[in-house]
mmCIF file of all heavy atoms in Angstrom:
data_model
loop_
_atom_site.group_PDB
_atom_site.id
_atom_site.type_symbol
_atom_site.label_atom_id
_atom_site.label_comp_id
_atom_site.label_asym_id
_atom_site.label_seq_id
_atom_site.Cartn_x
_atom_site.Cartn_y
_atom_site.Cartn_z
ATOM 1 N N SER A 1 -71.391 98.751 138.707
ATOM 2 C CA SER A 1 -72.435 99.525 139.382
ATOM 3 C C SER A 1 -73.713 99.588 138.553
ATOM 4 O O SER A 1 -74.791 99.854 139.105
ATOM 5 C CB SER A 1 -71.926 100.939 139.670
ATOM 6 O OG SER A 1 -70.739 100.912 140.454
ATOM 7 N N GLY A 2 -73.601 99.319 137.254
ATOM 8 C CA GLY A 2 -74.782 99.329 136.408
ATOM 9 C C GLY A 2 -75.565 98.034 136.405
ATOM 10 O O GLY A 2 -76.583 97.934 135.708
ATOM 11 N N GLN A 3 -75.135 97.039 137.183
ATOM 12 C CA GLN A 3 -75.788 95.730 137.195
ATOM 13 C C GLN A 3 -76.758 95.533 138.356
ATOM 14 O O GLN A 3 -77.215 94.419 138.608
ATOM 15 C CB GLN A 3 -74.729 94.623 137.229
ATOM 16 C CG GLN A 3 -73.969 94.478 135.925
ATOM 17 C CD GLN A 3 -74.889 94.102 134.775
ATOM 18 O OE1 GLN A 3 -75.734 93.217 134.898
ATOM 19 N NE2 GLN A 3 -74.746 94.798 133.657
ATOM 20 N N VAL A 4 -77.065 96.601 139.047
ATOM 21 C CA VAL A 4 -77.933 96.501 140.229
ATOM 22 C C VAL A 4 -79.263 95.833 139.899
ATOM 23 O O VAL A 4 -79.774 94.992 140.655
ATOM 24 C CB VAL A 4 -78.166 97.907 140.823
ATOM 25 C CG1 VAL A 4 -79.268 97.880 141.872
ATOM 26 C CG2 VAL A 4 -76.868 98.447 141.422
ATOM 27 N N GLY A 5 -79.837 96.175 138.749
ATOM 28 C CA GLY A 5 -81.155 95.657 138.385
ATOM 29 C C GLY A 5 -81.209 94.154 138.197
ATOM 30 O O GLY A 5 -82.304 93.582 138.140
ATOM 31 N N ALA A 6 -80.055 93.499 138.110
ATOM 32 C CA ALA A 6 -80.055 92.036 137.989
ATOM 33 C C ALA A 6 -80.575 91.375 139.260
ATOM 34 O O ALA A 6 -81.037 90.223 139.219
ATOM 35 C CB ALA A 6 -78.648 91.536 137.682
ATOM 36 N N ILE A 7 -80.500 92.076 140.379
ATOM 37 C CA ILE A 7 -80.960 91.510 141.648
ATOM 38 C C ILE A 7 -82.045 92.375 142.293
ATOM 39 O O ILE A 7 -83.103 91.878 142.668
ATOM 40 C CB ILE A 7 -79.785 91.332 142.636
ATOM 41 C CG1 ILE A 7 -78.684 90.472 142.024
ATOM 42 C CG2 ILE A 7 -80.273 90.707 143.948
ATOM 43 C CD1 ILE A 7 -77.456 90.299 142.897
ATOM 44 N N TRP A 8 -81.789 93.681 142.417
ATOM 45 C CA TRP A 8 -82.699 94.552 143.161
ATOM 46 C C TRP A 8 -83.383 95.539 142.224
ATOM 47 O O TRP A 8 -82.908 95.779 141.117
ATOM 48 C CB TRP A 8 -81.931 95.306 144.243
ATOM 49 C CG TRP A 8 -81.156 94.409 145.146
ATOM 50 C CD1 TRP A 8 -81.631 93.677 146.197
ATOM 51 C CD2 TRP A 8 -79.750 94.126 145.076
ATOM 52 N NE1 TRP A 8 -80.617 92.958 146.780
ATOM 53 C CE2 TRP A 8 -79.453 93.210 146.110
ATOM 54 C CE3 TRP A 8 -78.722 94.556 144.234
ATOM 55 C CZ2 TRP A 8 -78.164 92.736 146.325
ATOM 56 C CZ3 TRP A 8 -77.434 94.075 144.442
ATOM 57 C CH2 TRP A 8 -77.166 93.176 145.485
ATOM 58 N N ASP A 9 -84.476 96.122 142.682
ATOM 59 C CA ASP A 9 -85.185 97.105 141.863
ATOM 60 C C ASP A 9 -85.168 98.486 142.502
ATOM 61 O O ASP A 9 -86.099 99.274 142.336
ATOM 62 C CB ASP A 9 -86.624 96.650 141.595
ATOM 63 C CG ASP A 9 -87.368 96.278 142.868
ATOM 64 O OD1 ASP A 9 -86.855 96.581 143.969
ATOM 65 O OD2 ASP A 9 -88.457 95.681 142.763
ATOM 66 N N GLY A 10 -84.113 98.774 143.246
ATOM 67 C CA GLY A 10 -83.986 100.094 143.847
ATOM 68 C C GLY A 10 -82.630 100.266 144.494
ATOM 69 O O GLY A 10 -81.841 99.312 144.608
ATOM 70 N N TYR A 11 -82.353 101.487 144.915
ATOM 71 C CA TYR A 11 -81.069 101.830 145.530
ATOM 72 C C TYR A 11 -81.284 102.333 146.957
ATOM 73 O O TYR A 11 -82.221 103.098 147.211
ATOM 74 C CB TYR A 11 -80.375 102.942 144.746
ATOM 75 C CG TYR A 11 -79.805 102.537 143.417
ATOM 76 C CD1 TYR A 11 -80.601 102.523 142.269
ATOM 77 C CD2 TYR A 11 -78.469 102.199 143.290
ATOM 78 C CE1 TYR A 11 -80.069 102.180 141.039
ATOM 79 C CE2 TYR A 11 -77.924 101.847 142.061
ATOM 80 C CZ TYR A 11 -78.734 101.833 140.943
ATOM 81 O OH TYR A 11 -78.203 101.487 139.732
ATOM 82 N N PRO A 12 -80.384 101.973 147.865
ATOM 83 C CA PRO A 12 -80.445 102.534 149.216
ATOM 84 C C PRO A 12 -79.577 103.786 149.361
ATOM 85 O O PRO A 12 -79.370 104.265 150.466
ATOM 86 C CB PRO A 12 -79.901 101.386 150.081
ATOM 87 C CG PRO A 12 -78.915 100.698 149.194
ATOM 88 C CD PRO A 12 -79.444 100.828 147.790
ATOM 89 N N PHE A 13 -79.033 104.310 148.249
ATOM 90 C CA PHE A 13 -78.148 105.468 148.311
ATOM 91 C C PHE A 13 -78.326 106.318 147.057
ATOM 92 O O PHE A 13 -78.802 105.847 146.021
ATOM 93 C CB PHE A 13 -76.679 105.041 148.438
ATOM 94 C CG PHE A 13 -76.190 104.197 147.286
ATOM 95 C CD1 PHE A 13 -75.736 104.783 146.104
ATOM 96 C CD2 PHE A 13 -76.189 102.811 147.366
ATOM 97 C CE1 PHE A 13 -75.304 104.014 145.035
ATOM 98 C CE2 PHE A 13 -75.764 102.032 146.292
ATOM 99 C CZ PHE A 13 -75.316 102.643 145.122
ATOM 100 N N GLU A 14 -77.908 107.581 147.172
ATOM 101 C CA GLU A 14 -77.830 108.474 146.023
ATOM 102 C C GLU A 14 -76.393 108.594 145.527
ATOM 103 O O GLU A 14 -76.156 108.825 144.348
ATOM 104 C CB GLU A 14 -78.371 109.864 146.384
ATOM 105 C CG GLU A 14 -79.851 109.897 146.716
ATOM 106 C CD GLU A 14 -80.726 109.565 145.518
ATOM 107 O OE1 GLU A 14 -80.309 109.895 144.387
ATOM 108 O OE2 GLU A 14 -81.812 108.989 145.712
ATOM 109 N N ARG A 15 -75.445 108.459 146.457
ATOM 110 C CA ARG A 15 -74.025 108.606 146.139
ATOM 111 C C ARG A 15 -73.251 107.522 146.870
ATOM 112 O O ARG A 15 -73.557 107.193 148.009
ATOM 113 C CB ARG A 15 -73.523 109.989 146.576
ATOM 114 C CG ARG A 15 -72.064 110.277 146.237
ATOM 115 C CD ARG A 15 -71.709 111.719 146.629
ATOM 116 N NE ARG A 15 -71.834 111.934 148.054
ATOM 117 C CZ ARG A 15 -70.838 111.761 148.931
ATOM 118 N NH1 ARG A 15 -69.646 111.376 148.490
ATOM 119 N NH2 ARG A 15 -71.019 111.975 150.211
ATOM 120 N N TYR A 16 -72.244 106.971 146.186
ATOM 121 C CA TYR A 16 -71.468 105.865 146.739
ATOM 122 C C TYR A 16 -69.987 106.137 146.505
ATOM 123 O O TYR A 16 -69.592 106.604 145.436
ATOM 124 C CB TYR A 16 -71.876 104.553 146.065
ATOM 125 C CG TYR A 16 -71.275 103.312 146.688
ATOM 126 C CD1 TYR A 16 -71.912 102.663 147.738
ATOM 127 C CD2 TYR A 16 -70.075 102.792 146.216
ATOM 128 C CE1 TYR A 16 -71.376 101.521 148.310
ATOM 129 C CE2 TYR A 16 -69.521 101.649 146.782
ATOM 130 C CZ TYR A 16 -70.180 101.021 147.824
ATOM 131 O OH TYR A 16 -69.638 99.895 148.390
ATOM 132 N N VAL A 17 -69.159 105.823 147.528
ATOM 133 C CA VAL A 17 -67.729 106.094 147.441
ATOM 134 C C VAL A 17 -66.953 104.786 147.550
ATOM 135 O O VAL A 17 -67.057 104.067 148.547
ATOM 136 C CB VAL A 17 -67.272 107.063 148.556
ATOM 137 C CG1 VAL A 17 -65.783 107.380 148.385
ATOM 138 C CG2 VAL A 17 -68.102 108.343 148.541
ATOM 139 N N TYR A 18 -66.165 104.475 146.506
ATOM 140 C CA TYR A 18 -65.202 103.376 146.551
ATOM 141 C C TYR A 18 -63.880 103.944 147.078
ATOM 142 O O TYR A 18 -63.246 104.764 146.406
ATOM 143 C CB TYR A 18 -64.965 102.779 145.166
ATOM 144 C CG TYR A 18 -66.119 102.007 144.576
ATOM 145 C CD1 TYR A 18 -66.995 102.601 143.671
ATOM 146 C CD2 TYR A 18 -66.308 100.661 144.887
ATOM 147 C CE1 TYR A 18 -68.035 101.881 143.100
ATOM 148 C CE2 TYR A 18 -67.348 99.931 144.326
ATOM 149 C CZ TYR A 18 -68.211 100.546 143.428
ATOM 150 O OH TYR A 18 -69.245 99.822 142.868
ATOM 151 N N MET A 19 -63.475 103.547 148.284
ATOM 152 C CA MET A 19 -62.190 103.965 148.836
ATOM 153 C C MET A 19 -61.205 102.810 148.699
ATOM 154 O O MET A 19 -61.531 101.668 149.015
ATOM 155 C CB MET A 19 -62.325 104.334 150.316
ATOM 156 C CG MET A 19 -63.293 105.464 150.598
ATOM 157 S SD MET A 19 -63.432 105.757 152.385
ATOM 158 C CE MET A 19 -64.740 106.996 152.404
ATOM 159 N N VAL A 20 -60.010 103.105 148.219
ATOM 160 C CA VAL A 20 -59.002 102.073 147.998
ATOM 161 C C VAL A 20 -57.695 102.502 148.653
ATOM 162 O O VAL A 20 -57.263 103.653 148.501
ATOM 163 C CB VAL A 20 -58.776 101.838 146.491
ATOM 164 C CG1 VAL A 20 -57.681 100.784 146.269
ATOM 165 C CG2 VAL A 20 -60.075 101.393 145.811
ATOM 166 N N HIS A 21 -57.085 101.583 149.388
ATOM 167 C CA HIS A 21 -55.748 101.782 149.942
ATOM 168 C C HIS A 21 -54.776 100.889 149.187
ATOM 169 O O HIS A 21 -54.876 99.662 149.255
ATOM 170 C CB HIS A 21 -55.710 101.425 151.431
ATOM 171 C CG HIS A 21 -56.435 102.391 152.296
ATOM 172 N ND1 HIS A 21 -56.768 102.115 153.617
ATOM 173 C CD2 HIS A 21 -56.883 103.650 152.062
ATOM 174 C CE1 HIS A 21 -57.393 103.157 154.136
ATOM 175 N NE2 HIS A 21 -57.482 104.095 153.211
ATOM 176 N N ALA A 22 -53.866 101.491 148.437
ATOM 177 C CA ALA A 22 -52.775 100.746 147.800
ATOM 178 C C ALA A 22 -51.601 100.796 148.767
ATOM 179 O O ALA A 22 -50.962 101.829 148.927
ATOM 180 C CB ALA A 22 -52.406 101.379 146.465
ATOM 181 N N THR A 23 -51.338 99.692 149.444
ATOM 182 C CA THR A 23 -50.454 99.696 150.609
ATOM 183 C C THR A 23 -49.328 98.676 150.451
ATOM 184 O O THR A 23 -49.197 98.022 149.426
ATOM 185 C CB THR A 23 -51.248 99.370 151.884
ATOM 186 O OG1 THR A 23 -51.595 97.971 151.869
ATOM 187 C CG2 THR A 23 -52.523 100.179 151.971
ATOM 188 N N SER A 24 -48.577 98.536 151.490
ATOM 189 C CA SER A 24 -47.548 97.497 151.559
ATOM 190 C C SER A 24 -47.949 96.494 152.627
ATOM 191 O O SER A 24 -47.721 96.717 153.811
ATOM 192 C CB SER A 24 -46.180 98.109 151.884
ATOM 193 O OG SER A 24 -45.758 98.975 150.859
ATOM 194 N N GLY A 25 -48.610 95.437 152.221
ATOM 195 C CA GLY A 25 -48.929 94.369 153.159
ATOM 196 C C GLY A 25 -50.384 94.226 153.509
ATOM 197 O O GLY A 25 -50.936 93.132 153.426
ATOM 198 N N ALA A 26 -51.041 95.300 153.933
ATOM 199 C CA ALA A 26 -52.431 95.187 154.372
ATOM 200 C C ALA A 26 -53.332 94.810 153.215
ATOM 201 O O ALA A 26 -53.177 95.302 152.092
ATOM 202 C CB ALA A 26 -52.890 96.508 154.989
ATOM 203 N N ARG A 27 -54.275 93.931 153.486
ATOM 204 C CA ARG A 27 -55.244 93.558 152.458
ATOM 205 C C ARG A 27 -56.544 93.156 153.126
ATOM 206 O O ARG A 27 -56.576 92.690 154.255
ATOM 207 C CB ARG A 27 -54.709 92.441 151.576
ATOM 208 C CG ARG A 27 -54.368 91.148 152.274
ATOM 209 C CD ARG A 27 -53.686 90.185 151.318
ATOM 210 N NE ARG A 27 -54.512 89.939 150.145
ATOM 211 C CZ ARG A 27 -53.998 89.643 148.948
ATOM 212 N NH1 ARG A 27 -52.701 89.572 148.776
ATOM 213 N NH2 ARG A 27 -54.801 89.408 147.923
ATOM 214 N N GLY A 28 -57.632 93.372 152.405
ATOM 215 C CA GLY A 28 -58.952 93.079 152.933
ATOM 216 C C GLY A 28 -59.910 94.186 152.530
ATOM 217 O O GLY A 28 -59.564 95.097 151.774
ATOM 218 N N ALA A 29 -61.123 94.127 153.021
ATOM 219 C CA ALA A 29 -62.117 95.131 152.667
ATOM 220 C C ALA A 29 -63.240 95.105 153.688
ATOM 221 O O ALA A 29 -63.462 94.098 154.360
ATOM 222 C CB ALA A 29 -62.665 94.887 151.258
ATOM 223 N N THR A 30 -63.949 96.209 153.770
ATOM 224 C CA THR A 30 -65.092 96.315 154.672
ATOM 225 C C THR A 30 -66.194 97.107 153.991
ATOM 226 O O THR A 30 -65.945 98.167 153.417
ATOM 227 C CB THR A 30 -64.707 97.023 155.983
ATOM 228 O OG1 THR A 30 -63.670 96.275 156.630
ATOM 229 C CG2 THR A 30 -65.903 97.113 156.919
ATOM 230 N N GLU A 31 -67.403 96.573 154.076
ATOM 231 C CA GLU A 31 -68.567 97.245 153.512
ATOM 232 C C GLU A 31 -69.075 98.316 154.478
ATOM 233 O O GLU A 31 -68.930 98.185 155.693
ATOM 234 C CB GLU A 31 -69.683 96.238 153.240
ATOM 235 C CG GLU A 31 -70.367 95.665 154.479
ATOM 236 C CD GLU A 31 -69.623 94.505 155.126
ATOM 237 O OE1 GLU A 31 -68.506 94.179 154.660
ATOM 238 O OE2 GLU A 31 -70.160 93.926 156.088
ATOM 239 N N HIS A 32 -69.691 99.343 153.909
ATOM 240 C CA HIS A 32 -70.313 100.382 154.722
ATOM 241 C C HIS A 32 -71.621 100.818 154.083
ATOM 242 O O HIS A 32 -71.999 100.360 153.007
ATOM 243 C CB HIS A 32 -69.355 101.552 154.920
ATOM 244 C CG HIS A 32 -68.231 101.223 155.858
ATOM 245 N ND1 HIS A 32 -68.409 101.110 157.217
ATOM 246 C CD2 HIS A 32 -66.927 100.940 155.629
ATOM 247 C CE1 HIS A 32 -67.267 100.791 157.790
ATOM 248 N NE2 HIS A 32 -66.348 100.676 156.848
ATOM 249 N N LEU A 33 -72.295 101.720 154.750
ATOM 250 C CA LEU A 33 -73.651 102.113 154.377
ATOM 251 C C LEU A 33 -73.729 102.677 152.964
ATOM 252 O O LEU A 33 -74.652 102.385 152.212
ATOM 253 C CB LEU A 33 -74.164 103.151 155.384
ATOM 254 C CG LEU A 33 -75.640 103.474 155.386
ATOM 255 C CD1 LEU A 33 -76.451 102.250 155.781
ATOM 256 C CD2 LEU A 33 -75.918 104.622 156.366
ATOM 257 N N ASN A 34 -72.764 103.488 152.606
ATOM 258 C CA ASN A 34 -72.784 104.153 151.305
ATOM 259 C C ASN A 34 -71.370 104.244 150.720
ATOM 260 O O ASN A 34 -71.083 105.143 149.928
ATOM 261 C CB ASN A 34 -73.379 105.563 151.439
ATOM 262 C CG ASN A 34 -72.891 106.245 152.716
ATOM 263 O OD1 ASN A 34 -71.782 105.962 153.187
ATOM 264 N ND2 ASN A 34 -73.694 107.127 153.275
ATOM 265 N N SER A 35 -70.509 103.330 151.144
ATOM 266 C CA SER A 35 -69.116 103.332 150.703
ATOM 267 C C SER A 35 -68.481 101.999 151.062
ATOM 268 O O SER A 35 -69.088 101.174 151.742
ATOM 269 C CB SER A 35 -68.338 104.470 151.370
ATOM 270 O OG SER A 35 -68.351 104.335 152.782
ATOM 271 N N THR A 36 -67.262 101.815 150.591
ATOM 272 C CA THR A 36 -66.479 100.658 151.006
ATOM 273 C C THR A 36 -65.025 101.063 151.096
ATOM 274 O O THR A 36 -64.605 102.032 150.467
ATOM 275 C CB THR A 36 -66.617 99.488 150.019
ATOM 276 O OG1 THR A 36 -65.883 98.357 150.495
ATOM 277 C CG2 THR A 36 -66.081 99.851 148.641
ATOM 278 N N ILE A 37 -64.268 100.349 151.894
ATOM 279 C CA ILE A 37 -62.824 100.518 151.948
ATOM 280 C C ILE A 37 -62.192 99.205 151.525
ATOM 281 O O ILE A 37 -62.513 98.137 152.071
ATOM 282 C CB ILE A 37 -62.339 100.965 153.353
ATOM 283 C CG1 ILE A 37 -60.810 100.986 153.405
ATOM 284 C CG2 ILE A 37 -62.921 100.090 154.447
ATOM 285 C CD1 ILE A 37 -60.179 101.974 152.466
ATOM 286 N N ILE A 38 -61.313 99.270 150.505
ATOM 287 C CA ILE A 38 -60.647 98.088 149.947
ATOM 288 C C ILE A 38 -59.147 98.289 150.075
ATOM 289 O O ILE A 38 -58.627 99.335 149.677
ATOM 290 C CB ILE A 38 -61.020 97.883 148.469
ATOM 291 C CG1 ILE A 38 -62.545 97.730 148.317
ATOM 292 C CG2 ILE A 38 -60.300 96.671 147.890
ATOM 293 C CD1 ILE A 38 -63.024 97.780 146.886
ATOM 294 N N GLN A 39 -58.451 97.303 150.609
ATOM 295 C CA GLN A 39 -57.009 97.391 150.781
ATOM 296 C C GLN A 39 -56.326 96.272 150.003
ATOM 297 O O GLN A 39 -56.699 95.104 150.135
ATOM 298 C CB GLN A 39 -56.635 97.302 152.265
ATOM 299 C CG GLN A 39 -57.162 98.462 153.081
ATOM 300 C CD GLN A 39 -56.888 98.324 154.569
ATOM 301 O OE1 GLN A 39 -56.797 97.219 155.092
ATOM 302 N NE2 GLN A 39 -56.769 99.443 155.262
ATOM 303 N N ARG A 40 -55.343 96.653 149.188
ATOM 304 C CA ARG A 40 -54.579 95.693 148.410
ATOM 305 C C ARG A 40 -53.116 96.113 148.403
ATOM 306 O O ARG A 40 -52.807 97.310 148.417
ATOM 307 C CB ARG A 40 -55.068 95.667 146.950
ATOM 308 C CG ARG A 40 -56.525 95.321 146.764
ATOM 309 C CD ARG A 40 -56.769 93.857 146.846
ATOM 310 N NE ARG A 40 -56.161 93.127 145.738
ATOM 311 C CZ ARG A 40 -56.251 91.819 145.577
ATOM 312 N NH1 ARG A 40 -56.913 91.090 146.452
ATOM 313 N NH2 ARG A 40 -55.679 91.223 144.548
ATOM 314 N N PRO A 41 -52.180 95.164 148.365
ATOM 315 C CA PRO A 41 -50.770 95.532 148.185
ATOM 316 C C PRO A 41 -50.605 96.392 146.931
ATOM 317 O O PRO A 41 -51.239 96.140 145.902
ATOM 318 C CB PRO A 41 -50.076 94.178 148.043
ATOM 319 C CG PRO A 41 -50.955 93.234 148.799
ATOM 320 C CD PRO A 41 -52.353 93.715 148.550
ATOM 321 N N ARG A 42 -49.757 97.395 147.020
ATOM 322 C CA ARG A 42 -49.703 98.428 145.985
ATOM 323 C C ARG A 42 -49.317 97.918 144.602
ATOM 324 O O ARG A 42 -49.677 98.513 143.584
ATOM 325 C CB ARG A 42 -48.771 99.555 146.429
ATOM 326 C CG ARG A 42 -47.309 99.181 146.555
ATOM 327 C CD ARG A 42 -46.456 100.399 146.955
ATOM 328 N NE ARG A 42 -46.604 100.755 148.366
ATOM 329 C CZ ARG A 42 -47.275 101.811 148.805
ATOM 330 N NH1 ARG A 42 -47.868 102.618 147.935
ATOM 331 N NH2 ARG A 42 -47.352 102.068 150.094
ATOM 332 N N PHE A 43 -48.602 96.804 144.529
ATOM 333 C CA PHE A 43 -48.199 96.277 143.228
ATOM 334 C C PHE A 43 -48.966 95.004 142.871
ATOM 335 O O PHE A 43 -48.420 94.086 142.256
ATOM 336 C CB PHE A 43 -46.689 96.032 143.201
ATOM 337 C CG PHE A 43 -45.886 97.295 143.400
ATOM 338 C CD1 PHE A 43 -45.040 97.427 144.498
ATOM 339 C CD2 PHE A 43 -45.989 98.354 142.510
ATOM 340 C CE1 PHE A 43 -44.308 98.594 144.696
ATOM 341 C CE2 PHE A 43 -45.269 99.525 142.701
ATOM 342 C CZ PHE A 43 -44.424 99.649 143.788
ATOM 343 N N SER A 44 -50.232 94.961 143.239
ATOM 344 C CA SER A 44 -51.047 93.769 142.963
ATOM 345 C C SER A 44 -52.267 94.133 142.117
ATOM 346 O O SER A 44 -53.385 93.700 142.395
ATOM 347 C CB SER A 44 -51.491 93.112 144.272
ATOM 348 O OG SER A 44 -52.317 94.002 145.012
ATOM 349 N N TYR A 45 -52.031 94.898 141.062
ATOM 350 C CA TYR A 45 -53.125 95.316 140.184
ATOM 351 C C TYR A 45 -52.857 95.007 138.704
ATOM 352 O O TYR A 45 -53.796 94.834 137.933
ATOM 353 C CB TYR A 45 -53.376 96.830 140.311
ATOM 354 C CG TYR A 45 -53.850 97.256 141.672
ATOM 355 C CD1 TYR A 45 -52.952 97.532 142.687
ATOM 356 C CD2 TYR A 45 -55.211 97.400 141.948
ATOM 357 C CE1 TYR A 45 -53.389 97.937 143.948
ATOM 358 C CE2 TYR A 45 -55.659 97.803 143.196
ATOM 359 C CZ TYR A 45 -54.734 98.060 144.193
ATOM 360 O OH TYR A 45 -55.161 98.456 145.434
ATOM 361 N N ARG A 46 -51.599 94.950 138.279
ATOM 362 C CA ARG A 46 -51.307 94.855 136.858
ATOM 363 C C ARG A 46 -51.633 93.482 136.272
ATOM 364 O O ARG A 46 -52.292 93.374 135.237
ATOM 365 C CB ARG A 46 -49.841 95.192 136.590
ATOM 366 C CG ARG A 46 -49.504 95.194 135.084
ATOM 367 C CD ARG A 46 -48.043 95.526 134.809
ATOM 368 N NE ARG A 46 -47.146 94.563 135.429
ATOM 369 C CZ ARG A 46 -46.275 94.876 136.385
ATOM 370 N NH1 ARG A 46 -46.207 96.113 136.831
ATOM 371 N NH2 ARG A 46 -45.499 93.946 136.904
ATOM 372 N N GLU A 47 -51.155 92.421 136.927
ATOM 373 C CA GLU A 47 -51.405 91.074 136.409
ATOM 374 C C GLU A 47 -52.896 90.749 136.498
ATOM 375 O O GLU A 47 -53.565 91.116 137.462
ATOM 376 C CB GLU A 47 -50.594 90.043 137.182
ATOM 377 C CG GLU A 47 -49.092 90.258 137.118
ATOM 378 C CD GLU A 47 -48.558 90.235 135.702
ATOM 379 O OE1 GLU A 47 -49.105 89.468 134.874
ATOM 380 O OE2 GLU A 47 -47.599 90.983 135.419
#
C-alpha cells in the first residue's frame, strides 16, 4: 500500500478494506471502490 507513488500521485480513498475469505474450494477476487474481496482455499497460505 506504500507503493502508490510509483504510479499515481494521489488517492481516490481515505480508508481501504482488504476482505479475505479463507474457504474450502472458492477462489478468486473482485475489486471495489474502496475495498476488495479475495478468496483462497484455507490451507493455501503457508507455502
